[in-house]
């Protein structure tokens, strides 16, 4: 039987990586021996290219293709093999990040970037079974990012406000796939809620 694909999405600093780390240590989740993974991938040819691109002034269309190449590599090497082995896969960011972020960055290049980027994925990506959207105001998430130390060129309030809007629109369009999480609460509370929802989903499917 094909495994299950669970993704964590949200704007920078919404707490996805923190919760992914907590889920890895959560005894009830550990029972399922999930494969924890992320996009952009780390330490790969495509992941390194993405990292360089987002630290520089790369053309937005070129950037989209680098992120998408990284997604293809991620699917081929990690996600597909794990799902074929019946595994539960939990990915910190996935295709919805491209729809939301590049849906904004490509507004200077394309008339309807969101639909265009979705179409680019349509015939070969694997749609997640469940997507947790970590929803938070950018004013709060940016402050958290400041504390983390790193600075990504995407960490600007006005930009993230628009990215957040697309994420919320995607969630409205596919209510059966998305679970919206109030990411402004404490990590402990969020971990409990996400873990419960994952266990509930896995027991039903
Ligand atoms: N629920 C939370 N409340 C307060 N601070 C948080 C919370 N979750 C994460 N943080 C802090 O905010 C920063 C960004 O969190 P992180 O998990 O890296 O976000 P993301 O992976 O979504 O970019 C980190 O410094 C982290 O310690
Ligand atoms: C996966 C992906 C990430 N991004 C952006 C989101 C982040 O600002 C940046 C790097 O992702 P990531 O390392 O996950 O950042 P963070 O931990 O701050 O959430 O790349 C895209 O624009 N498109 C994509 O397809």
């Amino acid at each position: 039987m094909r495994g299950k694909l669970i993704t964590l999405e949200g704007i920078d600093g919404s707490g996805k990586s923190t919760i992914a780390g907590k889920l890895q240590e959560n005894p009830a989740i550990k029972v399922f021996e999930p494969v924890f993974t992320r996009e952009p991938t780390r330490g790969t040819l495509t992941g390194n290219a993405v990292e360089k691109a987002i630290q520089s002034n790369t053309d937005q269309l070129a950037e989209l293709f680098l992120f998408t190449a990284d997604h293809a590599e991620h699917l081929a090497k990690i996600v597909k093999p794990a799902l074929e082995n019946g595994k539960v896969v939990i990915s910190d960011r996935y295709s919805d990040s491209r729809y939301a972020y590049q849906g904004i960055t490509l507004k200077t290049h394309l008339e309807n970037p969101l639909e265009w980027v979705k179409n680019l994925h349509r015939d070969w990506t694997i749609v997640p079974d469940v997507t947790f959207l970590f929803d938070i105001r950018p004013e709060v998430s940016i402050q958290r990012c400041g504390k983390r130390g790193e600075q990504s060129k995407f960490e600007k309030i006005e930009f993230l406000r628009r990215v957040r809007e697309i994420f919320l629109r995607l969630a409205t369009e596919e209510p059966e796939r998305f679970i919206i999480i109030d990411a402004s609460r404490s990590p402990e509370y969020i971990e409990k809620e996400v873990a419960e929802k994952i266990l509930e989903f896995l027991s039903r499917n």
Side-chain angles (χ1 to χ4, degrees), residues 11-18 144 148 185-187 190:
I11 60 173
D12 296 58
S14 55
K16 303 174 300 297
S17 310
T18 300
R144 289 180 181 177
R148 186 171 61 179
R185 297 164 304 165
S186 77
I190 297 169

Side-chain angles (χ1 to χ4, degrees), residues 178-189:
F178 277 87
I179 297 175
I180 299 178
I181 298 294
D182 174 358
S184 67
R185 297 164 304 165
S186 77
E188 291 69 30
Y189 201 97

Side-chain angles (χ1 to χ4, degrees), residues 11-13 16-17 38-40 42 54 67 92-94 97-98 101-102 148 152 154-155:
I11 60 173
D12 296 58
K16 303 174 300 297
S17 310
R38 55 163 285 136
E39 285 187 20
R42 288 253 166 93
I54 61 183
F67 277 119
D92 179 356
R93 291 199 189 279
Y94 192 76
S97 280
R98 231 131 24 254
Y101 282 76
Q102 277 61 54
R148 186 171 61 179
S152 144
F154 296 126
E155 291 173 16

Side-chain angles (χ1 to χ4, degrees), residues 184-198:
S184 67
R185 297 164 304 165
S186 77
E188 291 69 30
Y189 201 97
I190 297 169
E191 176 198 359
K192 187 166 169 285
E193 184 181 3
V194 173
E196 275 172 12
K197 296 251 156 80
I198 291 177

Side-chain angles (χ1 to χ4, degrees), residues 14-179:
S14 55
K16 303 174 300 297
S17 310
T18 300
I19 297 305
K22 286 183 172 292
L23 292 175
Q24 286 194 55
E25 301 305 322
N26 184 302
I29 298 291
K30 265 185 167 176
V31 170
F32 292 91
E33 300 180 0
V35 172
F36 283 90
T37 183
R38 55 163 285 136
E39 285 187 20
T41 61
R42 288 253 166 93
T44 59
L45 175 78
T46 52
N48 290 344
V50 165
E51 199 182 331
K52 283 191 184 148
I54 61 183
Q55 284 164 3
S56 64
N57 184 27
T58 306
D59 173 75
Q60 291 88 344
L61 199 51
E63 207 163 64
L64 164 78
F65 288 120
L66 291 175
F67 277 119
T68 308
D70 189 47
H71 179 60
E73 183 69 2
H74 186 218
L75 273 183
K77 301 286 166 59
I78 308 280
V79 179
K80 269 190 189 164
L83 292 177
E84 279 161 15
N85 274 326
K87 291 280 194 187
V88 174
V89 177
I90 301 181
S91 185
D92 179 356
R93 291 199 189 279
Y94 192 76
S95 299
D96 292 302
S97 280
R98 231 131 24 254
Y99 307 158
Y101 282 76
Q102 277 61 54
I104 298 299
T105 62
L106 289 172
K107 274 200 185 290
T108 48
H109 290 60
L110 301 162
E111 202 162 302
N112 188 348
L114 173 57
E115 277 313 304
W116 196 86
V117 175
K118 278 171 120 181
N119 279 331
L120 181 68
H121 285 70
R122 190 148 288 150
D123 293 339
W124 56 277
T125 192
I126 296 175
V127 179
D129 297 290
V130 181
T131 297
F132 288 94
L133 174 56
F134 286 60
D135 185 49
I136 193 161
R137 288 169 51 235
E139 288 82 353
V140 180
S141 79
I142 289 265
Q143 251 199 338
R144 289 180 181 177
C145 289
K147 286 187 194 139
R148 186 171 61 179
E150 315 153 25
Q151 262 289 330
S152 144
K153 68 178 177 188
F154 296 126
E155 291 173 16
K156 306 271 183 324
I157 288 181
E158 196 42 51
F159 174 74
L160 291 181
R161 189 173 291 144
R162 297 167 76 197
V163 173
R164 180 191 187 199
E165 274 171 21
I166 300 200
F167 272 132
L168 287 169
R169 198 190 317 161
L170 294 171
T172 309
E173 284 169 2
E174 283 184 79
E176 64 294 338
R177 171 160 74 91
F178 277 87
I179 297 175

